[in-house]
């Protein structure tokens, strides 16, 4: 009886072992899982940096660029190169703010304040001299009005005292050259610093006004500049009649930019608009000569 009991116990043990191995993953399954492309995703320094300009369309640009499967985009503005408190944390902290990217994907971040910060071009060059830079610009007066509108609504939400555009923009009947929103639209002043550090071939200019009207041609040029396989096409865009601008369609998922985008600008007196158009005419010509390209601006 004792012998029979031992035989039965051995048989049960063998059956349990066979059951276990039958349900366990094979060695080949474990190896293939280790080589899953998603498991090899990593964070790295960005290959592409959208450097500005503020209220030029940087959010639209990075969202449209994210339509491409070869791009991994950081979702928030990192402010690494322009904020000393972030810059002092070093490259490891900067990389930690980047998205996970699969092998072959390009990583992109956008911080519009980079364009107008004097220290940023050299800081980027020291960290990544091969970075590809995207600069999206709009007609300077329109950009200034968008800038004011954003600040106006931000102050409104925080219940801070409001200032009219005329109060900020005009001083003794003339344009206030110390007004930050005005200075940000003097593209040639800031572009000079970038071209002192990076060759013109490393900076691609995106026409922000054209991107609003018809995004596809601008995005095809961006794909070409970044040496990306052509993927973005007309099916990725549809015009939203309610919002009044193009929204995105990706793998049957539709999305529009945040409601803060496309806000109505304040009404500005015609004589002030004329002053602005006249003021920006010469700086615009300097910018066109500097970058070797013209834009259809007033």
């Amino acid at each position: 009886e004792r012998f029979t009991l031992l035989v039965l116990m051995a048989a049960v043990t063998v059956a349990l072992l066979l059951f276990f191995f039958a349900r366990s993953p094979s060695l080949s399954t474990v190896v293939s899982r280790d080589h899953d492309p998603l498991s090899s995703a990593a964070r790295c320094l960005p290959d592409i940096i959208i450097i500005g300009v503020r209220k030029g369309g940087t959010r639209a640009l990075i969202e449209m660029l994210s339509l491409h499967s070869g791009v991994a985009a950081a979702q928030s503005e990192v402010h690494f190169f322009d904020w000393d408190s972030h810059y002092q944390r070093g490259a490891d902290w900067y990389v930690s703010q980047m998205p996970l990217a699969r092998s072959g994907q390009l990583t992109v971040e956008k911080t519009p304040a980079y364009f107008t910060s004097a220290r940023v071009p050299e800081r980027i060059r020291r960290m990544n001299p091969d970075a590809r830079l995207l600069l999206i610009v709009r007609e300077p007066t329109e950009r200034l009005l968008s800038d004011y509108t954003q600040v106006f609504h931000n102050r409104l939400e925080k219940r801070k005292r409001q200032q009219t555009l005329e109060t900020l923009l005009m001083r003794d009947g003339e344009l206030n050259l110390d007004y930050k929103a005005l200075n940000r639209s003097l593209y040639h002043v800031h572009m000079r610093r970038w071209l002192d550090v990076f060759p013109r071939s490393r900076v691609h200019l995106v026409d922000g006004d054209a991107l609003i009207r018809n995004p596809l041609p601008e995005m095809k040029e961006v794909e070409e500049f970044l040496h990306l396989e052509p993927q973005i096409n007309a099916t990725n865009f549809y015009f939203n009649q309610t919002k009044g601008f193009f929204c995105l369609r990706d793998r049957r998922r539709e999305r529009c930019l945040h409601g803060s985008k496309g806000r109505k600008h304040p009404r500005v007196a015609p004589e002030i608009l004329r002053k602005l158009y006249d003021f920006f005419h010469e700086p615009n010509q300097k910018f066109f000569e500097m970058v070797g390209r013209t834009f259809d601006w007033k």
Side-chain angles (χ1 to χ4, degrees):
E1 290 181 6
R2 186 177 179 184
F3 176 75
T4 303
L5 182 60
L6 290 172
V7 170
L8 286 171
M9 290 176 64
V12 170
T13 301
V14 170
L16 288 171
L17 288 171
L18 289 172
F19 178 78
F20 174 79
F21 282 116
R23 293 182 62 85
S24 299
S26 66
L27 180 61
S28 62
T29 303
V30 173
V31 170
S32 65
R33 183 178 298 159
D34 286 344
H35 284 79
D36 186 332
L38 289 175
S39 69
S40 62
R43 304 182 199 277
C44 58
L45 288 172
D47 308 279
I48 312 156
I49 302 178
I50 299 174
I51 59 174
V53 60
R54 174 183 161 107
K55 304 312 297 176
T58 58
R59 173 51 60 185
L61 178 57
I62 198 169
E63 290 289 343
M64 292 176 186
L65 197 50
S66 299
L67 293 168
H68 200 290
S69 65
V71 172
Q75 291 305 303
S76 58
E77 295 177 8
V78 183
H79 285 282
F80 178 68
F81 296 103
D82 62 319
W83 289 1
D84 288 343
S85 59
H86 284 178
Y87 189 67
Q88 289 163 4
R89 295 183 182 186
D92 289 343
W93 180 86
Y94 184 43
V95 169
S96 75
Q97 307 304 302
M98 294 301 113
L100 288 169
R102 299 189 304 272
S103 176
Q105 277 190 310
L106 298 178
T107 298
V108 57
E109 77 116 323
K110 74 114 177 164
T111 302
Y114 287 166
F115 181 60
T116 56
S117 179
R119 293 168 296 184
V120 169
E122 180 57 30
R123 285 180 171 182
I124 292 179
R125 187 200 64 79
R126 284 202 300 265
M127 183 167 288
N128 186 6
D130 296 323
R132 281 169 273 187
L133 309 175
L134 296 176
L135 174 65
I136 180 167
V137 292
R138 290 178 65 192
E139 194 280 319
T141 298
E142 284 295 306
R143 196 221 62 80
L144 183 154
L145 295 176
S146 291
D147 201 329
Y148 168 79
T149 303
Q150 175 170 295
V151 173
F152 177 88
H153 283 277
N154 288 346
R155 293 180 68 88
L156 198 63
E157 290 173 2
K158 297 174 183 177
R159 299 183 178 179
K160 291 185 176 181
R161 185 175 61 87
Q162 295 294 347
Q163 291 178 283
T164 65
L165 177 61
E166 285 78 2
T167 302
L168 294 166
L169 187 58
M170 304 302 294
R171 180 180 292 171
D172 299 326
E174 298 299 327
L175 293 175
N176 176 13
L177 303 185
D178 293 327
Y179 180 36
K180 288 183 179 179
L182 184 75
N183 180 270
R184 293 187 188 109
S185 284
L186 294 173
Y187 301 143
H188 74 290
V189 173
H190 309 294
M191 192 67 184
R192 169 49 56 203
R193 288 193 294 263
W194 289 90
L195 295 182
D196 284 343
V197 175
F198 287 95
R200 174 68 179 84
S201 60
R202 305 299 299 181
V203 186
H204 177 72
L205 295 178
V206 179
D207 185 334
D209 299 305
L211 191 75
I212 294 170
R213 293 190 303 268
N214 185 12
L216 184 57
E218 288 297 317
M219 293 311 300
K220 300 309 291 182
E221 290 185 12
V222 171
E223 278 184 330
E224 184 177 352
F225 171 72
L226 299 175
H227 305 296
L228 288 168
E229 174 191 351
Q231 273 187 18
I232 300 173
N233 58 71
T235 64
N236 292 129
F237 306 101
Y238 69 97
F239 191 79
N240 186 303
Q241 295 287 349
T242 303
K243 290 182 175 293
F245 53 76
F246 279 91
C247 295
L248 312 182
R249 184 184 291 116
D250 182 20
R251 300 179 185 89
R252 299 181 182 178
R253 181 171 66 94
E254 298 180 353
R255 65 185 190 275
C256 292
L257 297 180
H258 189 268
S260 63
K261 307 301 178 183
R263 286 183 177 132
K264 188 176 180 180
H265 291 169
R267 184 184 177 281
V268 182
E271 59 270 21
I272 294 179
L273 282 178
R274 177 46 52 198
K275 279 181 179 290
L276 285 169
Y277 294 141
D278 291 344
F279 172 77
F280 282 123
H281 178 75
E282 185 177 341
N284 289 347
Q285 298 306 312
K286 291 180 179 179
F287 179 66
F288 297 162
E289 293 173 12
M290 187 177 293
V291 299
R293 175 180 174 180
T294 61
F295 292 84
D296 186 19
W297 294 342
K298 297 175 184 176

